[in-house]
Amino acid sequence: MTTKSIDYARRPPRPFVPTEDPILDFETNVIEHESLLKAKVAIEELRSRRRPSGKSRLKARMLIVAGPSGAGKSTLVEDYARDFPTTKGGPDGDVRPVVVVEVPQRPTRRAFVAAIMAGLGFKPKTDWNTDEIIGKIAYLCKNLKVE
């Protein structure tokens, strides 16, 4: 199953849905500025791994978003992930096409793979070694149909 593509240039803006908490509204609603939409278009092009016509599509691997503090990296990635929500209990089981992983401050190999597990919605057992966790990550990504 391949997740739908989104044409951000033609999609209407996500509606603002106010709550009774104005602080929560401020912290959780994103105004889709032109720069944000351009960045999401670029991510979508990478995700779909566009190829010239007549050639097969390349399989997406991963995307690393890097930049200075306050540049909007987290906002961009979290907003993009909202466009591809996890679906539960479908005919293919749970599907999580986009996984957001925050790299730990001190990214040891074990801390990094634990962060990936957390992004997939699971906590590794303390008695697992790193190789077991990596094997579980591969299994989860395949079964959750992570793109």
Side-chain angles (χ1 to χ4, degrees):
M1 179 180 130
T2 301
T3 305
K4 66 186 183 334
S5 289
I6 295 176
D7 185 350
Y8 288 102
R10 292 193 171 97
R11 181 180 65 100
R14 189 178 297 124
F16 172 73
V17 181
T19 68
E20 293 183 16
D21 185 349
I23 294 173
L24 180 65
D25 290 344
F26 178 75
E27 291 177 345
T28 59
N29 283 288
V30 175
I31 297 170
E32 293 189 318
H33 184 275
E34 182 181 342
S35 296
L36 175 67
L37 292 175
K38 283 182 182 178
K40 288 169 71 172
V41 166
I43 292 173
E44 179 60 19
E45 286 177 357
L46 288 172
R47 188 187 71 83
S48 66
R49 297 295 299 265
R50 298 182 194 275
R51 300 280 289 189
S53 61
K55 299 212 175 188
S56 62
R57 187 178 109 158
L58 295 172
K59 188 173 181 178
R61 297 290 181 205
M62 76 172 72
L63 171 69
I64 296 174
V65 179
S69 179
K73 301 176 298 293
S74 295
T75 300
L76 168 64
V77 172
E78 290 166 3
D79 192 58
Y80 184 80
R82 270 192 289 266
D83 292 338
F84 298 94
T86 298
T87 56
K88 295 193 177 271
D92 293 330
D94 292 356
V95 176
R96 182 174 297 173
V98 176
V99 176
V100 177
V101 177
E102 290 193 38
V103 178
Q105 286 282 13
R106 301 195 186 284
T108 64
R109 186 173 183 215
R110 180 164 179 85
F112 188 65
V113 295
I116 295 170
M117 286 288 289
L120 290 167
F122 295 89
K123 185 175 183 183
K125 296 180 180 177
T126 56
D127 61 339
W128 288 357
N129 67 36
T130 305
D131 290 334
E132 289 174 312
I133 298 171
I134 291 171
K136 185 70 171 173
I137 289 169
Y139 171 82
L140 290 169
C141 285
K142 180 179 180 185
N143 287 310
L144 289 171
K145 298 174 181 47
V146 173
E147 290 184 16

